[in-house]
Amino acid sequence: MALQAVSYRDEYQRSMTEPEKFWLEAAQAVDWVVPPQQGHNKADSPDGRWFADAELNTCYNALDRHVAAGRGAQSALIHDSAMTGRQHSYSYAELTEQVALFAGVLRAQGVGKGDRVLIYLPMIAEAAIAMLATARLGAIHSVVFGGFAASELAVRIRDAAPKVIVTTSGGLEPNRHVEYLPTVHEALAKAGVTELPVILKHRDGFATDPKSLNLKIVDWDTALAAAEPAEPVPVKATDPLYILYTSGTTGAPKGVVRDNGGHAVALLWTIANHYNIGPGDVWWTASDVGWVVGHSYIVYGPLLAGATTLMYEGKPVGTPDAGAFWRVIEQHKVKALFTAPTALRAIRKMDPDAALLENYNIGSLQTLFTAGERLDTDTYHWAGKVLGVPVVDHWWQTETGWAIVGNPRGLEPLPLKAGSPTLPMPGFDLRIVDGMGVEVASGEEGNIVLGLPLPPGTLTTLWNNDQRFLDSYLNTFEGFYLTGDSGYQDDDGYVFVMGRTDDVINVAGHRLSTGAIEQVIGTHPAVAECAVIGVADALKGQKAMGFVVLKSGVVITADDLQKELVALVRREIGPVADFKFTTVVEALPKTRSGKILRKTMRQIADGDDYTVPSTIEDPAVIEALIPVLSGDRPPR
Ligand code: COA
Ligand code: AMP
């Protein structure tokens, strides 16, 4: 009998009608210490748990088992730094050894199962090593992106209460060296935990002398040389693997919790079925380990699958030019690249006809995947034309850990439509509903929600805050998870994601909270009140713009205020906020109950249709703002 090819429709259907069977089958790709007999279990958490009876070690699955299968000599991780010009490849055997030794270093600092390890590292191989070593001990990592300032780091230290911090001398940005140690020092002081051990990977070329700071430094290299390798510690599938903080609508970041078992199952399913990557393939995610894309697809996904993951320290442009990505693809024979649309727009801006491509042979590249923000149709067509490969958008969030909507290239490549990330992935019961939770007709925009339970690998709760988890995601529409995005489905079911329904914005593929920026601006002595909105930007997708009302009697020039606010946001949140524009206004438009009409402001600034809510307190305020908002409208 001829084998029938499995289609996307069949698999999706099966995941909806027999979810337990579907995911228990997918779970066979994992090497379990205790294999799961149970799929989803309602008990013991706000939204139930997957594989509650099972045990495993994620690091063992990502490393040791490939060595045991005889592939120890295969390249596991290639580190390519466009900043230093250096490259280093680790075989599976070497990476396993380094990780086991570093796990020994962590253990010597008292780290054990369930303890937190905070990792504040740039795109160096040690970031992946530290994450995997933490997982090896059954501990929980919390990686913080290097573009955040001390206050943001302090908030994460306070919330996760780590046993140890892992950091380095600094990171390399094209225009400057970013010193990490002063930031760590300030953050520890702010969090009131100056006695925490700081494991320091020394990097040449940074100015700060560790001895000049009052820190309990453990030198990475010295400790590693003396370390005993640690064996993988079995944990429950439901035990947390990591916490990853992401922006919510308030200033306080949300600590998304990922479990071990569901995560391994889901990533193994996606790397084969969504990305069409298998053992030995070279896979490159051009993102940062500080984001979810980096967690899932620089570190865990490709290594769980036994592929070779490429870790790139550099930018798409300026390091040294807009041919940087093509150089990496040629040199390492990359099969598939995953990046953010903003990176492609940056390349296109510098090299509109991709003339630099002529210098490289990118014949190994089969697919370009994008996510992190909407793939605009111009960029989609441009990238497809210059690269000559399918350009595959997919939509997801830190919370889900993997694609909600995508195009499963390994299962069945579906026809691509510009502007759409394609169809819901197995496990995601996607609906579009209006404000009352009623499903809307196809073509009509509404809230994108997902039926419960969510599939394996999605968030299990928010760290230390089950109630915020419920309030943010589950309590708005009973039985559904609220994504916070709006969109519509066309007659073929293709999903079009249009933007956030809350105060989260997306700048250069980085998720930011306007609330957090407002909180910082509000601390400036001249500011009475302010509103920050995300306005469309041709390069970065959105840019944050602040509208400020001054305290009466304050005398300050607009220029000085802008400079001071830019510096303040940079100091308190970090350069990643990329906050550069402020306008002083007489008043902010509000409803009678005092809610600032940010959405209307954004719609006016973007040149979209808008309706001023009838609850507006004073229509004259918005009238006065229209020229200010629309006058500075950036090109779309
Ligand atoms: N550490 C310290 N500073 C950082 C940083 C880091 N890890 N990452 C960014 N910054 C700084 C930048 O140097 C810049 O500082 P500046 O204001 O002094 O110039 C600022 O933060 C804003 O950075 P960014 O918005 O990234 O702008 P950019 O001009 O440096 O780069 C792109 C623009 C498009 C090339 C870059 O944003 C990019 O590659 N984005 C892809 C994002 C991504 O991978 N997202 C993950 C989802 S897939
Ligand atoms: P993050 O949690 O940082 O990954 O950001 C998630 C948010 O980014 C989503 O809720 C969307 O608003 C946006 N996003 C990510 N990928 C896409 C995409 N492919 N299309 C549209 N929006 C996206």
Side-chain angles (χ1 to χ4, degrees):
M1 200 173 73
L3 276 180
Q4 282 252 298
V6 184
S7 74
Y8 157 76
R9 291 264 167 220
D10 295 343
E11 286 297 83
Y12 183 75
Q13 213 38 51
R14 222 161 57 78
S15 79
M16 289 293 108
T17 52
E18 301 176 296
E20 311 248 344
K21 189 157 177 261
F22 183 92
W23 291 112
L24 280 169
E25 267 173 44
Q28 289 170 17
V30 173
D31 270 12
W32 300 95
V33 176
V34 179
Q37 307 297 324
Q38 270 177 33
H40 191 259
N41 182 340
K42 275 295 289 160
D44 212 26
S45 76
D47 178 37
R49 290 279 191 264
W50 283 93
F51 315 123
D53 56 344
E55 287 185 21
L56 78 161
N57 181 275
T58 298
C59 175
Y60 174 85
N61 275 273
L63 297 176
D64 308 59
R65 69 160 168 169
H66 304 307
V67 179
R71 291 192 297 105
Q74 185 207 300
S75 183
L77 186 150
I78 300 169
H79 183 256
D80 181 311
S81 175
M83 310 306 293
T84 64
R86 283 199 285 272
Q87 301 179 3
H88 188 84
S89 174
Y90 297 79
S91 68
Y92 268 98
E94 286 163 347
L95 193 60
T96 307
E97 189 191 5
Q98 289 297 304
V99 167
L101 285 171
F102 191 65
V105 172
L106 291 175
R107 194 177 48 192
Q109 293 302 320
V111 174
K113 204 191 256 193
D115 290 333
R116 272 80 59 210
V117 172
L118 190 136
I119 299 171
Y120 186 58
L121 287 172
M123 286 291 286
I124 57 177
E126 284 74 10
I129 292 171
M131 289 163 76
L132 289 157
T134 305
R136 194 171 188 84
L137 296 176
I140 302 166
H141 57 70
S142 164
V143 181
V144 180
F145 179 63
F148 282 120
S151 306
E152 292 290 323
L153 185 55
V155 167
R156 287 154 176 80
I157 294 172
R158 245 184 254 121
D159 195 58
K163 267 232 157 116
V164 47
I165 303 226
V166 185
T167 192
T168 181
S169 319
L172 300 168
E173 284 296 293
N175 53 2
R176 66 189 190 284
H177 280 40
V178 183
E179 300 279 337
Y180 275 31
L181 276 181
T183 304
V184 169
H185 184 249
E186 191 184 335
L188 289 175
K190 280 193 150 109
V193 285
T194 42
E195 76 294 348
L196 266 194
V198 175
I199 303 180
L200 176 71
K201 175 69 195 172
H202 175 81
R203 266 189 123 180
D204 287 336
F206 290 86
T208 313
D209 175 3
K211 293 193 203 81
S212 69
L213 301 170
N214 183 22
L215 288 172
K216 195 177 158 197
I217 299 274
V218 178
D219 179 68
W220 175 300
D221 293 319
T222 314
L224 200 86
E228 285 294 322
E231 289 303 308
V233 175
V235 294
K236 285 201 216 150
T238 51
D239 283 340
L241 169 67
Y242 67 77
I243 308 166
L244 179 55
Y245 290 88
T246 190
S247 301
T249 49
T250 68
K254 294 165 163 175
V256 165
V257 177
R258 190 93 53 221
D259 68 8
N260 274 271
H263 174 255
V265 172
L267 291 192
L268 276 161
W269 188 90
T270 60
I271 203 91
N273 291 285
H274 193 270
Y275 301 106
N276 194 24
I277 290 293
D281 287 336
V282 182
W283 162 260
W284 178 22
T285 299
S287 176
D288 191 287
V289 285
W291 308 118
V292 70
V293 172
H295 280 58
S296 292
Y297 296 114
I298 294 174
V299 181
Y300 288 109
L303 294 176
L304 284 165
T308 301
T309 187
L310 203 136
M311 199 170 171
Y312 173 71
E313 185 185 32
K315 302 271 173 175
V317 294
T319 59
D321 57 29
F325 275 20
W326 322 143
R327 191 269 300 164
V328 173
I329 293 170
E330 176 188 84
Q331 205 163 352
H332 305 292
K333 301 200 171 38
V334 170
K335 180 177 170 188
L337 165 64
F338 175 178
T339 192
T342 188
L344 301 173
R345 290 195 297 268
I347 295 171
R348 184 183 180 193
K349 193 173 170 205
M350 297 305 289
D351 184 14
D353 300 318
L356 290 169
L357 255 175
E358 282 175 23
N359 303 335
Y360 305 97
N361 174 357
I362 60 156
S364 61
L365 189 74
Q366 294 184 7
T367 320
L368 171 65
F369 293 95
T370 73
E373 54 171 324
R374 183 163 181 268
L375 175 59
D376 60 282
T377 52
D378 265 9
T379 306
Y380 166 79
H381 289 301
W382 178 82
K385 189 170 122 223
V386 302
L387 297 176
V389 298
V391 180
V392 182
D393 184 14
H394 56 314
W395 167 65
W396 49 297
Q397 332 180 292
T398 304
E399 288 85 345
T400 63
W402 57 283
I404 309 164
V405 172
N407 194 313
R409 310 303 293 177
L411 176 63
E412 181 196 355
L414 299 167
L416 294 161
K417 285 193 195 186
S420 169
T422 312
L423 291 166
M425 287 297 92
F428 290 107
D429 176 13
L430 183 145
R431 318 273 181 97
I432 314 276
V433 301
D434 65 16
M436 304 303 291
V438 176
E439 276 189 65
V440 300
S442 67
E444 229 177 274
E445 191 172 331
N447 301 294
I448 313 183
V449 298
L450 307 169
L452 298 175
L454 294 176
T458 51
L459 83 168
T460 53
T461 189
L462 296 176
W463 184 253
N464 278 339
N465 212 337
D466 285 348
Q467 193 54 47
R468 190 173 180 197
F469 168 69
L470 294 171
D471 292 343
S472 304
Y473 305 110
L474 305 190
N475 285 349
T476 309
F477 300 114
E478 204 189 331
F480 291 91
Y481 164 90
L482 182 72
T483 65
D485 280 296
S486 74
Y488 66 92
Q489 281 184 290
D490 71 8
D491 290 338
D492 300 323
Y494 275 58
V495 179
F496 290 76
V497 181
M498 303 312 289
R500 298 286 305 189
T501 56
D502 54 16
D503 297 326
V504 166
I505 60 171
N506 199 312
V507 180
H510 306 138
R511 176 168 159 179
L512 300 167
S513 155
T514 53
I517 303 175
E518 284 175 6
Q519 236 175 49
V520 171
I521 293 178
T523 63
H524 189 284
V527 173
E529 60 176 346
C530 69
V532 172
I533 57 171
V535 176
D537 180 77
L539 176 65
K540 296 193 175 180
Q542 285 186 305
K543 65 179 175 188
M545 293 187 77
F547 295 85
V548 173
V549 179
L550 294 181
K551 283 184 186 155
S552 64
V554 164
V555 182
I556 185 166
T557 67
D559 257 12
D560 284 349
L561 180 71
Q562 170 145 311
K563 273 193 210 121
E564 288 174 23
L565 291 179
V566 166
L568 189 64
V569 173
R570 200 176 170 94
R571 194 175 69 234
E572 291 300 313
I573 295 181
V576 66
D578 207 23
F579 179 77
K580 301 224 161 81
F581 309 94
T582 337
T583 307
V584 176
V585 294
E586 286 297 315
L588 293 169
K590 289 183 190 163
T591 61
R592 282 191 287 274
S593 58
K595 192 170 176 291
I596 297 173
L597 296 170
R598 293 182 185 79
K599 185 172 166 200
T600 316
M601 290 172 71
R602 175 172 50 76
Q603 286 169 325
I604 298 171
D606 286 354
D608 291 343
D609 294 339
Y610 65 93
T611 325
V612 177
S614 56
T615 51
I616 189 162
E617 186 186 37
D618 179 0
V621 173
I622 197 99
E623 287 299 325
L625 262 186
I626 290 173
V628 180
L629 285 162
S630 49
D632 191 33
R633 187 188 313 154
R636 304 202 67 183

